[in-house]
Amino acid sequence: MDFFMEFPSLSRAELASLRRSIDGAFRDFTRSWAETLESFFNPLLRFLVWFENLLLATPWPVILIVIGGLCFAGARSWKITAASVLAFVTIGYFGMWEDTMSTLAIISVATFLCIAIGIPLGIVMARSDRMQAAITPVLDVMQTIPSFVYLIPVVMLLGIGKVPGLIAVCIYAIPPIVRLTNLGIRLVDKDILEAADAFGASPRQKLWGVQVPLALPNIFAGVNQTIMMALAMVVIASMIGVQGLGVPVLRAISNQYLALGVMNGLAIVALAIIFDRVSQTYGKRLQAHRKGHGHD
Amino acid sequence: MTDAKVRISNLYKIFGKAPQKVLPLVRDGLSKTDLLEQHNHVLGIQNVSLDIPEKRIQVVMGLSGSGKSTLIRHINRLIEPTAGEILIDGEDVLSMSDSQLQDLRRFKASMVFQKFGLLPHRRIIENVAYGLVVQGKSAAQCDKQARHWIDRVGLSGYEDHYPAQLSGGMQQRVGLARALATDAEILLMDEAFSALDPLIRYDMQSILLELQNELHKTIIFITHDLDEALRLGDNIAILRDGAMVQQGDAQQIVLKPADDYIRDFIKDINRGRVIRLGSLATGQPPEQGAPLSGDTLLEDALTQLVDAPDQRLAVANKEGRLIGAVTLKDALQAMRS
């Protein structure tokens, strides 16, 4: 009867030795590769530090003007631009300027990295069903596995600091851009592709002339999602030594400082909304050609 | 060599998992329905042979599902056949390498689509220049040629619009200009005017005929509309269930339909606009009255026949030689049946 009451499992000793051997193997891997990896990521670290320092060293009015300019260039809307600048003024007034600059730095670099890796990956996926079948489950794991679980190996390998934080953010934030690039290219109208084929377009002419431009609205939705998810990781990243708005939130959690937590939390929300509105209106502008402006 | 520009011989296309396996069964006469029921394969094209003459309009007609759009896609190999042979200018299309095929599509055969197939993110001028850009022409040349063809199809002033801003008929003019701009000798038109409403369709047919008068392309025109086929086609081939039922010029099809399927097809058409006097002329031509040309359509000859003495007129062939006479009664009878 015992067999049915208790699930047949490995014994405690067996499990312990299994875990020990995996941990040991990974530790050995860490010992032999950590330095190589660190030097591999070194340029990234230097860029991140340089960018953060640049944001911090620039006088705040200049930053405000640049942000306003970028918002207007993206959204072409005075309302969004004014609201964005006002949000930054408020953030600064409540003493969160420096943390916000740090967060802005890591989010920008993480987004840039995700785009640089994610879009080519999405294109590869769109061109081969086999690649899609291979990559999709990996993306599923990346999106659903609790962040703390992959923080362990990342920290073991690279220690605590900006680069492991950046990697953790990217792992969490990259799936949407890969997925939506893939989806966008696959959704391109078959009739239009056939027309390109019929005129003798080469695969490259088709990709850059037809597929990617027509997938842009979807790719852009992916960029937008990636930014949102990167912002969602700010607090977790601060646990492994990333400066920014996450640090005070973390302090507020452990000391039950309600006001501090809410203020910094709202600052993250403000950043998210600004990024979202600007990138969305920009994405919409990209599809202006889809709407007929009324003929005749 | 014969003068066929495009020669299709014994073409078969079977859609499914193992077309080569069921091909022998089809060759032995297995029907389309049986093939689908017993082997789960769809018969697209069934032993079609067709010689398409140079500088003429060859219409391929059939109802939906008859394989006509499948057939036209074999000519530039957008679809690979299961068996058969396709020659363009005597060159075997099926043995072409990828780059040869690319050149065929770029320089020799361009295409117009039922759903237009325009690039929605590019302006009209960029759409028309698409084939030229793909060919690798210089920007200035693309621009110049594209403007020329936009003008020829009557869309001057719309160069900087986007396709979605134009009506269906205008969009298909863009499609036509794009196909003509590459200077290809062969024009493949897949139900090019089927998505347009009747008046616009008639306009587009006129534009096509007008351009053809001057350009003399080899045009392969797919349609399900008999009126369109009779109006445009120097030659008409009729497909049914992927097999060729009849081919010939408009008069041959109207006067000698091969079977009930085609008889059904031509039941409602205006025969007076298809049949020409030449095919009715018999007997001794009368002495009096100027003879009519054998190319005259019955419809156009009626008033003259009514006014003629005895309601009977002489008919002459192209060289002006009298070939017989037509009476009003003959003409009316030919138009009725």
Side-chain angles (χ1 to χ4, degrees), chain A residues 41-68:
Chain A
F41 285 118
N42 203 26
L44 192 63
L45 177 66
R46 264 187 293 173
F47 176 71
L48 186 54
V49 169
W50 172 81
F51 189 54
E52 195 178 334
N53 287 339
L54 177 74
L55 285 182
L56 286 170
T58 312
W60 62 266
V62 178
I63 300 266
L64 277 185
I65 289 167
V66 170
I67 285 172

Side-chain angles (χ1 to χ4, degrees), chain A residues 27-215:
Chain A
R27 208 164 292 132
D28 290 341
F29 172 78
T30 306
R31 274 197 201 109
S32 45
W33 287 99
E35 256 175 69
T36 325
L37 277 173
E38 224 164 293
S39 57
F40 174 75
F41 285 118
N42 203 26
L44 192 63
L45 177 66
R46 264 187 293 173
F47 176 71
L48 186 54
V49 169
W50 172 81
F51 189 54
E52 195 178 334
N53 287 339
L54 177 74
L55 285 182
L56 286 170
T58 312
W60 62 266
V62 178
I63 300 266
L64 277 185
I65 289 167
V66 170
I67 285 172
L70 286 176
C71 284
F72 189 75
R76 293 282 159 83
S77 147
W78 287 113
K79 226 162 80 184
I80 292 175
T81 308
S84 307
V85 172
L86 187 70
F88 270 89
V89 168
T90 315
I91 285 170
Y93 189 68
F94 282 97
M96 298 180 285
W97 184 263
E98 289 187 6
D99 282 343
T100 304
M101 288 303 113
S102 301
T103 296
L104 212 53
I106 193 161
I107 297 302
S108 309
V109 175
T111 306
F112 176 76
L113 263 185
C114 287
I115 290 173
I117 299 169
I119 289 181
L121 206 60
I123 290 173
V124 169
M125 248 173 112
R127 311 195 86 185
S128 135
D129 286 338
R130 201 173 289 178
M131 283 306 276
Q132 178 175 251
I135 296 176
T136 306
V138 178
L139 295 179
D140 291 338
V141 171
M142 285 164 79
Q143 270 184 307
T144 49
I145 199 167
S147 324
F148 296 104
V149 174
Y150 54 77
L151 283 186
I152 303 166
V154 170
V155 171
M156 279 171 78
L157 266 175
L158 298 166
I160 279 183
K162 288 186 201 308
V163 168
L166 189 67
I167 291 172
V169 172
C170 284
I171 290 176
Y172 187 66
I174 206 172
I177 181 127
V178 181
R179 274 185 214 279
L180 281 158
T181 302
N182 174 35
L183 183 76
I185 291 178
R186 281 173 186 267
L187 282 182
V188 168
D189 195 341
K190 296 280 174 291
D191 293 327
I192 297 172
L193 274 184
E194 188 184 47
D197 267 331
F199 280 90
S202 65
R204 180 186 296 209
Q205 284 171 326
K206 259 192 300 179
L207 180 67
W208 296 110
V210 181
Q211 290 172 302
V212 169
L214 288 180

Side-chain angles (χ1 to χ4, degrees), chain A residues 194 200 205 209 289 293 295, chain B residues 73 106 115 120-122 165:
Chain A
E194 188 184 47
Q205 284 171 326
H289 60 81
H293 298 297
H295 44 81
Chain B
R73 279 167 175 70
R106 284 180 182 178
K115 291 179 191 154
H121 61 296
R122 297 204 184 173
Q165 295 169 282

Side-chain angles (χ1 to χ4, degrees), chain B residues 317-334:
Chain B
N317 65 6
K318 267 183 205 135
E319 289 80 40
R321 204 164 52 78
L322 297 179
I323 51 173
V326 172
T327 65
L328 183 61
K329 199 172 151 210
D330 292 341
L332 289 175
Q333 218 151 34

